[in-house]
Amino acid sequence: MSNQQELFDVTIIGGGPAGMYTAFYSGLRDLKTKLIDVNPELGGKMLFYPEKIIWDVGGVTPIQCRQLIDRLKLQALTFDPAIVLGEQVVSMDRQEDGTYMLTTAAGNKHWTRTVILAIGYGIRKLAKLEIEGADRYEISNLHYTVQELEPFRSKNVLISGGGDSAVDWANALEPVAAQVTVVHRREEFGGHEKNIALMKASSVRVCTPFTVSQLHSSGGKRIEEVTICHTETGNTERLVVDAVIVNHGMRSDFGPVRDWGLDMGERNVNVSEKLETNLPGVFAAGDFVNYGSKVRLIAGTFTDAVLALNSAKLYLDPEAPKTAYVSTHNERFKEKNKALGLLKS
């Protein structure tokens, strides 16, 4: 094979938390590792919510999403995996010798002995506000993500949505904005219970079950008022706003992945408790997987990564230890600890 067709032990498709932690753990297990992601940078769906505060990662106090991404990136690069960004894998073909050839939309080919799929819910696009002409305000005060809190200081902010991110944004903006109003089409919210309770106990105005039905602008450049409509009675109310934030979830597209012969449901691939797919040498981790004891938290994603990689290691070498030694006894960390000044020579 040429250098461009270099054979890797493990190729990870997907650069979110699952993919990044798998890259780290693969290096820890001394495997030649490559990671391919369709995005121009690592982070996965977390890139949509850089200001979101993450509370549920073990051993990590509340942390901004962008900071967690940075830490995961740094950890992923510990053992110098090959990183390929901005490429979408469109085919996965098993060769006669049992290895796989991965082909990207650009026509580039990647060769690997095993594959770990960490693609989340596929290529994700934010669901837009379904009101005619809404897109004209995207350059002014209609937002689909919150990059920074400061631009909303002392503003009247309306948030449309009822999931985790909508609730998190409401809680984050409440001490910053003049007024936060959350409009949700259902009575019940889909976020974590504690965060919902915090939002309802604060000064955030919660309007349920309502939807945003009209956007109003005297000059056509900025949204100045919003009409919300009660989903059951049809009654309407007109609110003065400085900014509108829409969080209606994401639309997922698995594209050609569905043609790869995987045992897939609507949103996930079915795997064993060892994170094995139905295809030999192909494993999966993170939001993409479905199995009986699956935990849909970032903490659960890290466990998925370890289980999938250990299965890949044993697939390549059935005589290998079933798992890596803990970091305090792992030879791969000794020199790194010395370099960091954490271990006496």
Side-chain angles (χ1 to χ4, degrees), residues 127-130 144 160-162 183 212 245-251:
K128 296 296 187 77
L129 185 64
E130 295 181 352
Y144 289 96
S160 178
V183 177
V212 175
I245 302 170
V246 175
N247 179 244
H248 292 175
M250 294 188 179
R251 293 192 172 92

Side-chain angles (χ1 to χ4, degrees), residues 106-167:
N108 296 321
K109 299 185 185 303
H110 304 269
W111 303 80
T112 186
R113 298 172 69 195
T114 63
V115 178
I116 296 181
L117 301 170
I119 61 175
Y121 298 116
I123 296 176
R124 311 197 77 191
K125 296 180 180 179
L126 291 166
K128 296 296 187 77
L129 185 64
E130 295 181 352
I131 293 178
E132 186 177 355
D135 56 342
R136 79 181 69 166
Y137 302 112
E138 291 179 18
I139 61 173
S140 56
N141 63 339
L142 175 61
H143 310 272
Y144 289 96
T145 186
V146 176
Q147 299 291 330
E148 297 179 6
L149 299 179
E150 195 58 33
F152 299 97
R153 183 170 295 279
S154 303
K155 302 288 182 66
N156 292 314
V157 181
L158 183 144
I159 300 173
S160 178
D164 276 326
S165 293
V167 173

Side-chain angles (χ1 to χ4, degrees), residues 1-224:
M1 289 184 178
S2 68
N3 289 335
Q4 291 182 337
Q5 296 177 340
E6 188 177 1
L7 181 65
F8 284 76
D9 294 323
V10 175
T11 297
I12 303 153
I13 304 177
M20 286 189 281
Y21 196 76
T22 304
F24 162 73
Y25 195 76
S26 184
L28 182 62
R29 300 226 59 187
D30 204 21
L31 294 173
K32 188 175 182 179
T33 308
K34 177 182 283 187
L35 185 152
I36 305 173
D37 190 65
V38 67
N39 294 308
E41 61 179 307
L42 296 173
K45 72 176 183 181
M46 293 196 301
L47 294 170
F48 287 101
Y49 314 116
E51 290 279 343
K52 184 176 179 179
I53 304 299
I54 307 295
W55 286 77
D56 52 10
V57 178
V60 179
T61 53
I63 184 174
Q64 276 193 334
C65 204
R66 62 159 62 108
Q67 294 173 317
L68 183 59
I69 292 171
D70 290 341
R71 292 188 185 185
L72 285 167
K73 284 181 185 176
L74 189 62
Q75 186 180 49
L77 298 174
T78 301
F79 299 106
D80 301 315
I83 304 292
V84 179
L85 299 175
E87 290 199 27
Q88 180 188 4
V89 177
V90 294
S91 67
M92 181 178 69
D93 300 303
R94 194 166 190 245
Q95 308 299 291
E96 290 184 2
D97 63 358
T99 62
Y100 282 90
M101 180 181 71
L102 308 176
T103 305
T104 70
N108 296 321
K109 299 185 185 303
H110 304 269
W111 303 80
T112 186
R113 298 172 69 195
T114 63
V115 178
I116 296 181
L117 301 170
I119 61 175
Y121 298 116
I123 296 176
R124 311 197 77 191
K125 296 180 180 179
L126 291 166
K128 296 296 187 77
L129 185 64
E130 295 181 352
I131 293 178
E132 186 177 355
D135 56 342
R136 79 181 69 166
Y137 302 112
E138 291 179 18
I139 61 173
S140 56
N141 63 339
L142 175 61
H143 310 272
Y144 289 96
T145 186
V146 176
Q147 299 291 330
E148 297 179 6
L149 299 179
E150 195 58 33
F152 299 97
R153 183 170 295 279
S154 303
K155 302 288 182 66
N156 292 314
V157 181
L158 183 144
I159 300 173
S160 178
D164 276 326
S165 293
V167 173
D168 288 346
W169 288 341
N171 287 331
L173 287 167
E174 189 268 343
V176 175
Q179 176 65 57
V180 176
T181 301
V182 175
V183 177
H184 183 39
R185 60 194 175 95
R186 297 190 182 97
E187 292 285 359
E188 299 299 322
F189 286 83
H192 293 300
E193 297 93 334
K194 190 172 184 64
N195 294 338
I196 295 169
L198 178 64
M199 175 185 71
K200 289 184 175 180
S202 72
S203 66
V204 173
R205 182 188 178 196
V206 176
C207 298
T208 60
F210 278 86
T211 59
V212 175
S213 58
Q214 287 182 282
L215 306 176
H216 307 280
S217 172
S218 59
K221 293 183 179 181
R222 298 179 61 84
I223 303 167
E224 296 165 358

Side-chain angles (χ1 to χ4, degrees), residues 158 205 210 213-218 224-229 235-241:
L158 183 144
R205 182 188 178 196
F210 278 86
S213 58
Q214 287 182 282
L215 306 176
H216 307 280
S217 172
S218 59
E224 296 165 358
E225 294 181 305
V226 168
T227 296
I228 61 174
C229 179
N235 293 338
T236 62
E237 182 178 349
R238 194 153 162 162
L239 306 175
V240 174
V241 298

Side-chain angles (χ1 to χ4, degrees), residues 225-286:
E225 294 181 305
V226 168
T227 296
I228 61 174
C229 179
H230 196 282
T231 61
E232 296 172 358
T233 66
N235 293 338
T236 62
E237 182 178 349
R238 194 153 162 162
L239 306 175
V240 174
V241 298
D242 298 304
V244 176
I245 302 170
V246 175
N247 179 244
H248 292 175
M250 294 188 179
R251 293 192 172 92
S252 300
D253 182 8
F254 287 110
V257 173
R258 291 197 178 275
D259 301 325
W260 294 358
L262 294 160
D263 176 18
M264 287 183 63
E266 182 180 349
R267 301 182 67 188
N268 309 100
V269 64
N270 296 313
V271 295
S272 71
E273 294 290 327
K274 295 180 180 180
L275 282 295
E276 304 156 312
T277 73
N278 59 305
L279 301 180
V282 180
F283 310 88

